[in-house]
Amino acid sequence: MITSVVARPVRLLLTLAAGVLLALGPAGAAAAHEVGGVGATNFATTLSGLSPSVPGVSLAVVENGSRLQLRNTTGTEVVVRGYSEEPYARVGPDGVWLNDSSPATYLNADRYGSTRVPADADPAAAPRWRKISDEPVHRWHDHRTHWMLTTLPIAVAADPTAPHRISSWRVDLDHDSRVLTATGSLDWVPGPSPTPWYLLTALSALLVVGSVFTRWAHRLVAAALGALIAVDTVHAGAIALVTEGNVPERLGAFLGSDMTALLIWPFGIVAAVLVARGATFLGFVGMGVGGLLASMMALDDAPVWWRSSAPSALPADANRATVALVVGLGVGLLLAGPLLWRRCKPASRTRPATASGDPEATAAGTVTASGAAAPHDDSAAGHDGAPATHGGAVAAHDDAVATHGTDTHDVAAATQDLAAPVSGDEGPAATGSAGDEPPVLLGARAAAAASPQREEAVVGRRGFAGTLAAGGVGAILGAASGIAASGPETDTPATPQVSGEPPLASVGTSRVAFHGEHQAGIATPARQQARLRIVAFDLAAGVDRAGLRALLRRWSQAAEQLGQGQPLGRPGDHLVTGAGPASLTVTIGFGPGLFGKAGIPAADRPAQLTPLPAFPGERLDPARGDGDLCLLVAADDAVVVFHAARELIRLAAPHARVRWQQDGFTSSAGVTADGATTRNLMGQLDGTNNPRPGDEDFEPKVFVTDPAAPRWLRGGSLLVVRRIRMLLDDWDGLDLAAQERVIGRRKDTGAPLSGGEERTPADFGATGAGGGLAIPADAHIRLAAPAFNNGAAMLRRGWSYTDGAEAGLLFLAWQADPARGFVPVQRRLAGVDALNRFIRHETSALFAMPRGTAPGGYVGQDLFGEDAT
């Protein structure tokens, strides 16, 4: 009988397991159903081919674009080149070897290149080979082939519903004195509509809930639970099939990172069998299993409904269907458990006693332990309220039980119960045999035994307390196991934290994507960072084309890693531990002097990079201007800027040496309102009329769009850097009205003197109370206005500086062509600008900032005739 099968220890054990699952399940959910660190995605990595093809050498994109796999069954090794063209891996008859001198060995260890690169990992050093496998096959995260950032590419963010070609990539292999070139593409492929899968989920849930109201409620609920486990097993198996590793590693992928399936599936199967046999109480175990599997699947795998690919051996739509069925059946079971209990549970049963009470009272009702008669329980009566007869059939206990019915198993159980002695806790009179009992009492016992009530569903106060306690203990054990099993996820680009420290503030955790159509640090981030360091370099004597290319690769790789808050593995990295990237950007530029060096022809210098002319009144220091290369390192934290600049300077050796560097600062995040114009050291709002990214003509003003420009510059920008010393003592000697006339704006609000607010267009024809121009003829904003300079405009980003007793402005102006931007405006200002009495231009530099690059590529790659990847 069910009573003997689902005894109290079994029920408590199942409840204990349910508590463990409820607490442990979510702990494993976040790491489940990813392969190689990537789950469902709209990014698609495609391998076009390997040229020339060699029988026995095969390259494939695996793990949903997360890795490349090279298999070499020939008798000659294949050498994979790293990011600086250095040998990275050898794959051949004696297995796989990695070069510990190659930075790629460490960067390729995880999906996001967050592994620390040791200080002795120098791509120019002699290889240090280390064997890692005896098999002639190697899988690695090649960052040239996939999107590494958590932010979308600019073009995708602008229109995510359209397909986009993100980049074309190339990986070179060396085999038997030949170069084998693998080419491919990284694309954005929009996913399907999720509506059909929402409908399948809802339909599955409704069918399970509806089954509770049929005469086969227990069997259908059990079938739904069995189907849920079967579909979840198929889904997990399909993921295990595309997981790298041996049988134990794939088994781990099949069962989950913390082996949660070992708890969920077996107890779910046991619960399904017992529910099918009528165990109503175990519907709650089915509810727990369903809720856990549905929540885990929804958290991890629901994105497959609207994304174009996922790591699974199943076809895309079949994979989406398994997710919908697991979520739908799980939600249905979560709702069905309480409904099944409410509809099919029997009423509370009180045992009849054979104590020496009044036989008439016993016949009329139930004798209490003290011998007093208790009222007769209506649950033993038929629907018309008449008590059950002595030897007749027992009427249905209520509508729910009448629907459930009494099967042969129940009759057999009742027969066994008639022959069983009464429990000894009912008083001394219970010691007699059944044959000694009065006929009336025997009839009462027979009626109670023949009732279709199911003992496993009878939960008294003690049973309920025990069940609740078991569930609580299980939850505590599960939570403890989940905490113990959880650890750092190496494939997640998380900011390193020091144990015991509080989480970073939002300013510290802010990240700016290094890759994109344009370099970061020009128009992004929208709010200018609080700290800046400009570093200009001269190439070292004898540096060739390969050396310059290697330097640009190193800088690009390091800038990407630093921008994600990841250290580079050098002493001093603890400086940024716990500080976060703080909106760090690194922008790389080329000076006019680069052309004609390092194998770059002087004739290749673009017209936009023509050196600036001399302007009246400037007093330039040649030692603190110009340069072959430049780095702009900006962030919201001075320590982050210092550390990043120092690391990048270190990486420049021996190819380049510092020519000059300058630090700048402006208001920190949170000091002024978002979007507010910052003030310079004269107290004036600086940058009011800047072009804005939302403006229709922003791109052609700031970025090079000329089709005649070299490829490496199209999408880039020209930067003019000026250190402008402010004669603050002289400026402070002016009264407020005089200062406002020099600039042409109110000092408090930034509004033009012609009236209005800060962003009100200036009315240069407006007159004041005395009849003169409201904005004087020599006012700074009048002379700098595009209207008086044939539309010339620049994106000005200024930082203040101090140098001993000196202070002023680091003037940075971005434009598509200085000949149409900075040069005409500065010529006009140099002559009659009223502000000239209070400033001095002391240094000047011009740099071409190449267009942005895609993951795996490097800034300036097109300069060497390579496609940016």
Side-chain angles (χ1 to χ4, degrees), residues 809-836:
L809 177 71
L810 294 179
F811 175 85
L812 276 66
W814 303 89
Q815 61 243 283
D817 186 353
R820 295 184 290 109
F822 176 79
V823 172
V825 174
Q826 183 57 29
R827 278 177 175 162
R828 189 174 184 84
L829 291 173
V832 294
D833 185 6
L835 188 59
N836 288 339

Side-chain angles (χ1 to χ4, degrees), residues 7-18 281 463 465-471:
R8 178 178 296 175
V10 176
R11 185 175 67 207
L12 293 181
L13 179 61
L14 290 172
T15 308
L16 180 69
F281 176 79
T467 300
L468 186 61

Side-chain angles (χ1 to χ4, degrees), residues 197 200 231 234-235 238 304-305 310 312-326:
W197 313 112
L200 179 57
V231 174
V234 171
H235 180 83
V304 305
W305 293 337
S312 174
L314 292 172
D317 282 344
N319 185 46
R320 295 182 184 110
T322 61
V323 175
L325 287 173
V326 170

Side-chain angles (χ1 to χ4, degrees), residues 541-558:
V543 172
D544 58 9
R545 190 180 183 92
L548 176 59
R549 183 169 53 206
L551 172 59
L552 295 175
R553 276 187 181 275
R554 290 183 186 180
W555 274 351
S556 298
Q557 292 165 7

Side-chain angles (χ1 to χ4, degrees), residues 123-200:
R128 292 178 289 131
W129 295 107
R130 171 173 51 89
K131 190 172 185 179
I132 64 168
S133 172
D134 292 326
E135 299 296 323
V137 60
H138 179 47
R139 284 189 179 190
W140 73 97
H141 294 285
D142 198 301
H143 306 312
R144 291 167 283 207
T145 67
H146 55 241
W147 187 252
M148 294 179 63
L149 303 181
T150 56
T151 55
L152 292 176
I154 295 175
V156 173
D159 187 7
T161 61
H164 298 274
R165 172 61 53 86
I166 306 302
S167 67
S168 297
W169 56 266
R170 187 184 83 185
V171 175
D172 289 333
L173 316 172
D174 295 311
H175 178 261
D176 199 17
S177 302
R178 290 187 299 176
V179 177
L180 311 182
T181 300
T183 56
S185 64
L186 175 64
D187 297 276
W188 172 265
V189 181
S193 168
T195 301
W197 313 112
Y198 291 156
L199 294 176
L200 179 57

